[in-house]
Amino acid sequence: MIANLIGSEWRTPSNGVSSLPIYNPATGDVIGQVPLSGAKEVDAAVKAASDAYRTWSRTAVMERVRLMFRYKNVLEDHFEQLAAIITRHHGKTLDEARGEVRRGIEVVDFACGAPTLLQGRTLRDVSAGVDQDYYRYPVGVCAGVPPFNFPVMIPLWMFPLAIVAGNTYVLKPSERTPLGGARLAELFLEAGFPEGVLNVVHGARDAVEALLVHPDVRAISFVGSEPVARRVYQTAAANGKRVQALGGAKNHIVVMPDADPDVAVAAILNSAFGNAGERCLAGSVAVVVGGAAEHVLPALTAAAAGMVVGPGDEPGVQIGPLIRAEHRDKVAGYVDKGVSEGAKLLVDGRDQVRRPGFFLGPTILDRVSSDMTIGHEEIFGPVLSVSRASTLDAAIEQANRMALGNMATIFTQSGRAGREFRERVEAGMTGINVPIAQPFAFFPFSGWKGSFYGDLHVHGTDGIEFFTRKKVVVTRW
Ligand code: NAD
């Protein structure tokens, strides 16, 4: 069974704590056990973080940054190892895992800019002989609850920025992919950070509930499905904590008749089927406008049908397995439901359900409308719905009908259409001629509507704002 990190000690929870298997989704093999920690383990981790906070919050910024630079180097040294860990227990291809590690390390790069990012502001002579300054202070013990689909990148969205700002941290990795967070914590200690600055508690709902009500946890970062994000936001806020809670997605890709078909087809394949569709920035519905259907659908269908499904560590594989057999069956159930609600199946990934392992092939359903279940619910698998729209207005209206507003992207050669889309589409991350509108570490990860509960998003200067509180000092001598 993998262990929690409390202070500098790796502790396997004892008596009465149950566990769950960790799988290799490509083989179905059990490769470990993760403990389902509860309030007792959470309390020990929060106590270790509170103890460390006294010293860490007063440690010089340049010392905190020196350690963060060292962490960056240690992560670079273990780049391939981290990617292999992701593939082994998440299933995505090695190339996708490498992309994940890179995007995660970029947040550490950003955190190394703390001497600039943590500066306050000053206005002298605000009135006669009076100066005002504000200083940034850490908020205290912060906690992070990531989802299963980016076991390295999403923890790195959370604790490096919090810690470089002088906070201490409790990370509760996903119980389905806990090995990424566990390895990140080992490397964190290797970089030389003092004990208790980062703690790890493995578990699921009970551990999260304990964090949400713990009086010494000051801020919670959550990333996961919409219903849990909403609940985490409400409970943490009711308990007086800062919260940033990122929820699910139902992302639309609009393809205009003037789009370059080669660009659009490659992008849709990447957006819909990359990471086996288990991405909050996955394109879920392609809305083809007017003549775009004839330009892109035949090539899209042929290319999807030819994609290679298999274990993520095999060369040439383009789509790895889904996270669990139950999730694969749930996604396949959405395909059944789409067909029964009248969608036309163009590519059927159910033909590629293979055992052992939790595989499902790429699937495309055409003539999907937003009132069909697959037209508005998040599927989180390699399933692309295609809708037909006669105008850009109709396409934007369809995207805006979604309760979730994470990402939307348009393919067009018209600057006017691109601008119109940018102005009117209700998605916090909007792309023009790109498959995945992912903000880099120095911009906020910016979902709207049910895709985000809170006001300060993760990373970018929003992250700095979230992990600091300001003190204003008014001075007259
Ligand atoms: P999930 O909501 O099931 O779990 C997320 C985290 O919450 C896990 O750590 C889990 O242990 C915990 N959790 C689960 N149920 C809980 C409960 N009832 N009470 C308290 N905690 C609970 O999500 P998942 O299946 O791991 O991840 C997939 C979801 O995450 C998708 O909906 C996806 O869109 C979303 N996601 C969103 C973003 C984003 O940036 N908006 C990024 C990645 C994933």
Side-chain angles (χ1 to χ4, degrees):
M1 182 144 77
I2 60 172
N4 293 331
L5 174 62
I6 312 289
S8 59
E9 209 183 308
W10 291 96
R11 283 189 214 164
T12 309
S14 48
N15 307 343
V17 172
S18 56
S19 65
L20 281 179
I22 307 165
Y23 290 92
N24 176 342
T27 60
D29 293 339
V30 174
I31 57 172
Q33 292 286 329
V34 58
L36 293 176
S37 307
K40 189 170 143 230
E41 291 74 26
V42 164
D43 194 50
V46 174
K47 181 163 185 327
S50 298
D51 291 348
Y53 180 73
R54 269 178 242 123
T55 314
W56 183 248
S57 58
R58 306 292 308 272
T59 299
V61 176
M62 290 314 291
E63 175 59 13
R64 300 200 305 249
V65 167
R66 249 191 300 278
L67 288 166
M68 203 48 80
F69 269 111
R70 235 189 266 162
Y71 190 42
K72 155 124 173 131
N73 288 335
V74 173
L75 292 172
E76 296 287 1
D77 290 345
H78 293 82
F79 188 94
E80 285 298 322
Q81 183 196 59
L82 286 164
I85 290 171
I86 294 170
T87 295
R88 181 151 183 262
H89 78 319
H90 173 278
K92 66 183 71 176
T93 68
L94 266 177
D95 270 351
E96 289 166 342
R98 291 185 184 112
E100 167 176 352
V101 178
R102 177 53 56 213
R103 299 316 287 267
I105 292 178
E106 283 166 3
V107 187
V108 179
D109 296 339
F110 178 66
C112 289
T116 309
L117 296 167
L118 294 176
Q119 288 180 16
R121 289 172 68 179
T122 288
L123 183 62
R124 50 162 280 281
D125 258 347
V126 66
S127 72
V130 176
D131 305 326
Q132 286 198 13
D133 320 284
Y134 83 66
Y135 298 86
R136 288 185 185 279
Y137 288 80
V139 298
V141 176
C142 304
V145 180
F148 79 83
N149 62 328
F150 286 95
V152 164
M153 179 183 78
I154 294 185
L156 288 174
W157 284 0
M158 298 174 170
F159 69 82
L161 269 187
I163 285 172
V164 86
N167 303 285
T168 54
Y169 214 83
V170 178
L171 178 71
K172 200 293 296 167
S174 165
E175 67 279 19
R176 288 185 280 179
T177 51
L179 302 180
R183 188 68 187 129
L184 288 176
E186 286 170 356
L187 298 176
F188 189 81
L189 292 180
E190 216 173 294
F193 282 91
E195 72 174 68
V197 170
L198 174 65
N199 305 273
V200 179
V201 179
H202 291 289
R205 182 186 179 145
D206 288 352
V208 178
E209 295 285 346
L211 286 167
L212 296 181
V213 300
H214 199 295
D216 295 336
V217 173
R218 303 280 184 233
I220 300 265
S221 302
F222 173 89
V223 182
S225 56
E226 189 278 336
V228 185
R230 187 163 13 108
R231 217 187 102 58
V232 163
Y233 177 70
Q234 289 164 345
T235 311
N239 283 276
K241 302 180 195 322
R242 292 182 174 203
V243 203
Q244 43 183 199
L246 284 67
K250 189 70 183 172
N251 304 317
H252 281 51
I253 306 172
V254 173
V255 187
M256 297 299 287
D258 66 355
D260 178 328
D262 294 339
V263 172
V265 167
I268 297 169
L269 292 172
N270 171 347
S271 189
F273 304 128
N275 229 59
E278 292 174 329
R279 228 176 3 197
C280 69
L281 294 178
S284 179
V285 180
V287 187
V288 287
V289 178
E294 295 116 70
H295 300 158
V296 299
L297 284 187
L300 184 68
T301 307
M307 287 182 90
V308 182
V309 180
D313 56 1
E314 274 183 17
V317 165
Q318 293 167 293
I319 303 187
L322 295 180
I323 189 66
R324 292 285 178 271
E326 309 83 74
H327 184 59
R328 186 258 321 274
D329 296 345
K330 184 175 167 199
V331 174
Y334 271 114
V335 181
D336 301 340
K337 182 102 179 152
V339 172
S340 73
E341 287 182 348
K344 187 172 163 229
L345 201 51
L346 299 184
V347 182
D348 190 354
R350 294 170 301 181
D351 296 342
Q352 299 208 51
V353 167
R354 291 201 270 124
R355 294 182 180 83
F358 314 141
F359 296 96
L360 181 73
T363 298
I364 302 181
L365 294 129
D366 192 10
R367 308 273 175 194
V368 174
S369 65
S370 56
D371 49 8
M372 291 181 187
T373 309
I374 57 167
H376 61 267
E377 286 189 11
E378 183 178 38
I379 299 175
F380 223 55
V383 178
L384 175 72
S385 299
V386 176
S387 290
R388 316 289 184 112
S390 48
T391 60
L392 174 61
D393 283 355
I396 294 174
E397 271 162 35
Q398 181 175 338
N400 288 350
R401 241 173 265 141
M402 300 300 116
L404 305 169
N406 217 35
M407 188 199 81
T409 189
I410 187 171
F411 288 86
T412 181
Q413 298 195 48
S414 153
R416 185 171 174 279
R419 185 175 191 282
E420 198 62 18
F421 187 73
R422 182 197 78 198
E423 289 299 303
R424 286 172 45 203
V425 79
E426 290 171 14
M429 290 169 281
T430 294
I432 300 178
N433 297 320
V434 296
I436 302 286
Q438 179 172 1
F440 277 82
F442 27 87
F443 282 93
F445 198 93
S446 209
W448 282 13
K449 302 203 282 190
S451 296
F452 180 72
Y453 295 93
D455 46 11
L456 293 169
H457 295 263
V458 298
H459 62 57
T461 47
D462 271 31
I464 296 294
E465 292 290 337
F466 185 74
F467 290 122
T468 55
R469 50 189 165 162
K470 300 182 198 81
K471 181 178 283 187
V472 176
V473 180
V474 185
T475 313
R476 187 204 299 275
W477 289 105

